[in-house]
Amino acid sequence: MKDVPPYTIVGGNPAKKIRPRFPQEITDRLLDLKWWQYCPSGFRDLDMFDVCGFLDNMERGKAANELKVFTPKTMKFMNGSLVLV
């Protein structure tokens, strides 16, 4: 399978679509939220097994500007040493 739609379960060799992981409404909310762009500390206390509750809380946090964008530190080699930049 060349392109796998977001939140789709695939399996086999060659890969075949098995089923969507969530209903389309949930997938759309996850994609609109772009939850992966936010610092994990903003949602570490949320129950990720309750997807709708997670989305409700994250969307509230985003609307209230409470979520911090995740900007991880980068590393590079300088003079033979690994340095945080």
Side-chain angles (χ1 to χ4, degrees):
M1 180 170 239
K2 210 170 194 178
D3 293 316
V4 178
Y7 301 101
T8 300
I9 298 170
V10 297
N13 187 7
K16 293 181 183 170
K17 179 180 174 181
I18 296 173
R19 67 178 174 84
R21 178 152 185 209
F22 304 111
Q24 190 60 48
E25 175 190 345
I26 300 294
T27 297
D28 292 342
R29 287 178 69 190
L30 286 163
L31 294 172
D32 288 343
L33 180 61
K34 297 181 183 174
W35 60 269
W36 57 87
Q37 293 181 344
Y38 297 102
C39 187
S41 65
F43 52 88
R44 74 173 147 220
D45 295 328
L46 300 179
D47 181 5
M48 292 187 175
F49 290 104
D50 175 11
V51 178
C52 289
F54 171 80
L55 284 166
D56 291 342
N57 284 308
M58 288 292 289
E59 288 166 344
R60 272 195 294 275
K62 183 177 179 181
N65 206 25
E66 295 171 349
L67 300 177
K68 295 181 179 141
V69 174
F70 184 55
T71 51
K73 296 185 188 249
T74 57
M75 295 188 227
K76 70 179 188 177
F77 279 102
M78 293 176 60
N79 300 324
S81 298
L82 192 58
V83 179
L84 286 174
V85 202

